[in-house]
Amino acid sequence: MFYFGIEHEVAFLNKEGKFADFLSTKFAEFNQIVERLPTYPNDYPQLRVGDAGIKQKRWYIEGFERFADSDKVIDCLPKGIEIRTTIHSNIQSAISELSESFCLLREVAASFGFSPVLLSFNPYNCVFEPQPPLNDYEIKQLQAYPDEQTANIYMVTYGPDLNISVADLSIERMIDIGKKLTYYSPYIVPFSYSSPFYHGSLWDGLSVRTFIRTGKRSATLVFVEKEEQLINSIPSLTKIARIPSEVGRIEFKACDSCDDFSIYAALLALLKGLVLDETLLGRATIPDAGLHQLSAKEGFDNEDILTNTTKILQAAEVALGKDPDVELLTPLKVMLANRKTKSHELVEVFRCVGSIEEVLKQTYQV
């Protein structure tokens, strides 16, 4: 029995048509949107609320929390709004809920002058430096959690967490799957590439997010129940579950954002196939940064990436067998045959219109 969920980060243009990030947007501006969105009492205890109380709904503000010299949150520098789905026993219902939540978000955001846009890396500000500088309490907090020390990366990147879990799987088996997905990550992620902009212009590649992020941040996270089940690694492969429904969850975190949610469905089907597959033997505790960078630059134009992506897609297809989810892989096959990603499309539009904002306005045409 498989279970699925998706967390999808949304970036916005503001009413002036400019990119809305931590430099130009206050927490209150995004919070007015979230406040107007509905609460579903039956979502709990599936969804984690968190200590700061920011994560009260299916939508919440993604950002960097600032503290006084204590555990009291005094501000949150926003980068966008995250949508998270509840847990579903099939892929299609997770996608349907995501689509429904996205449409609601877009509608409410429009009433405040914000419009959602697809991107996976901040196209203008490639560095995040908290102002005012961190106080002693904040520094101590960050030092306690190695992954939190990469806030300079996550505040300029946008991407999904594709969540999958299998009933009654042992912790050892889950961690093994986490290592497998980490190893094959450079061949999975090109299907999602959507970050060809950097520092106000075109980047020399397909995914600046992958190039900068992977190796420093996790490709896969496995949520375990007990301290003794953790594996010591930087970036982390394992993490203690914060609520019971997280135990056994495998989060694939390495993909760029997609504005066509059928690609998320395809990627979840691919992950499901890779969980079922027993032929692919590669395992890694930490992501191969060099291989991810090669993948980010060249994508399917690189023969090694193309060959291995073809191999894992075929292995997943065989493992799924007669499972109806095998049909969800079709968009990935098309992409592989054409050797084209969303980034290729964004670059083409940019070459016609010459403006990043104009390109972004043409995303999420759903």
Side-chain angles (χ1 to χ4, degrees):
M1 188 69 172
F2 281 82
Y3 298 96
F4 306 93
I6 303 167
E7 297 163 60
H8 172 70
E9 294 176 330
V10 183
F12 293 88
L13 294 181
N14 62 23
K15 53 179 172 286
E16 284 83 40
K18 299 293 180 201
F19 181 58
D21 68 359
F22 50 86
L23 289 182
S24 62
T25 315
K26 297 277 181 246
F27 179 84
E29 292 178 80
F30 282 148
N31 199 43
Q32 63 189 348
I33 298 169
V34 174
E35 280 184 340
R36 200 178 283 182
L37 288 159
T39 302
Y40 302 93
N42 294 343
D43 286 357
Y44 310 94
Q46 280 189 42
L47 299 182
R48 190 173 76 90
V49 173
D51 301 333
I54 290 170
K55 302 179 180 183
Q56 297 281 2
K57 301 185 180 186
R58 291 182 183 179
W59 308 261
Y60 68 87
I61 295 162
E62 186 67 68
F64 185 79
E65 291 165 8
R66 299 302 310 264
F67 294 84
D69 271 325
S70 67
D71 58 6
K72 181 171 180 278
V73 177
I74 53 170
D75 194 11
C76 176
L77 306 174
K79 73 168 186 179
I81 294 176
E82 178 159 313
I83 304 170
R84 53 188 177 163
T85 69
T86 53
I87 299 164
H88 294 265
S89 56
N90 67 81
I91 292 171
Q92 213 50 67
S93 63
I95 297 298
S96 296
E97 189 193 303
L98 177 65
S99 301
E100 199 179 294
S101 290
F102 177 79
C103 290
L104 265 174
L105 173 63
R106 174 151 69 178
E107 197 179 300
V108 174
S111 66
F112 293 104
F114 287 94
S115 51
V117 290
L118 172 74
L119 46 77
S120 299
F121 193 88
N122 189 314
Y124 297 107
N125 298 308
C126 42
V127 176
F128 169 70
E129 288 176 355
Q131 293 301 331
L134 300 179
N135 61 41
D136 291 345
Y137 175 82
E138 291 172 319
I139 291 166
K140 200 188 283 184
Q141 286 295 102
L142 291 183
Q143 284 169 345
Y145 302 99
D147 288 0
E148 294 301 319
Q149 291 171 34
T150 51
N152 60 314
I153 296 173
Y154 81 70
M155 281 297 287
V156 294
T157 59
Y158 300 78
D161 288 345
L162 300 172
N163 303 333
I164 186 167
S165 57
V166 190
D168 305 322
L169 215 57
S170 71
I171 291 291
E172 292 72 27
R173 181 85 182 93
M174 276 166 32
I175 290 173
D176 184 63
I177 291 165
K179 288 179 176 177
K180 180 179 187 176
L181 298 182
T182 297
Y183 181 88
Y184 290 104
S185 170
Y187 313 116
I188 297 169
V189 291
F191 289 121
S192 68
Y193 284 165
S194 64
S195 50
F197 302 118
Y198 184 71
H199 233 303
S201 192
L202 280 181
W203 183 66
D204 179 25
L206 300 169
S207 176
V208 70
R209 176 186 189 269
T210 301
F211 193 89
I212 287 173
R213 178 194 180 282
T214 314
K216 297 183 182 75
R217 306 250 322 149
S218 308
T220 314
L221 255 189
V222 180
F223 285 89
V224 300
E225 193 176 4
K226 301 173 188 143
E227 195 86 29
E228 58 267 26
Q229 295 165 332
L230 290 170
I231 290 174
N232 191 21
S233 68
I234 298 176
S236 303
L237 175 72
T238 52
K239 187 172 185 173
I240 293 274
R242 296 153 298 186
I243 53 174
S245 66
E246 276 186 342
V247 175
R249 177 182 298 174
I250 299 163
E251 280 188 358
F252 189 72
K253 304 175 78 70
C255 285
D256 279 10
S257 284
C258 299
D259 63 346
D260 174 355
F261 296 154
S262 72
I263 303 299
Y264 286 159
L267 287 164
L268 283 169
L270 175 62
L271 296 179
K272 180 180 176 179
L274 293 177
V275 170
L276 294 167
D277 162 76
E278 291 177 359
T279 65
L280 298 168
L281 304 177
R283 300 292 185 273
T285 302
I286 58 171
D288 184 326
L291 202 49
H292 277 90
Q293 291 186 336
L294 179 70
S295 176
K297 282 272 188 184
E298 300 180 26
F300 300 135
D301 286 338
N302 180 280
E303 288 305 319
D304 175 54
I305 302 296
L306 182 72
T307 302
N308 281 289
T309 301
T310 304
K311 184 176 154 188
I312 64 165
L313 188 54
Q314 286 169 348
E317 189 172 14
V318 169
L320 286 166
K322 294 190 171 135
D323 188 316
D325 284 345
V326 77
E327 298 301 325
L328 297 173
L329 297 173
T330 303
L332 306 187
K333 291 184 187 174
V334 172
M335 226 182 282
L336 204 53
N338 297 332
R339 299 193 185 192
K340 291 280 185 281
T341 67
K342 182 71 180 185
S343 279
H344 288 91
E345 193 184 306
L346 297 172
V347 169
E348 209 171 296
V349 177
F350 179 79
R351 290 195 168 130
C352 291
V353 299
S355 151
I356 292 174
E357 283 85 1
E358 288 306 315
V359 175
L360 298 179
K361 282 176 190 171
Q362 293 185 40
T363 59
Y364 282 119
Q365 299 295 318
V366 288

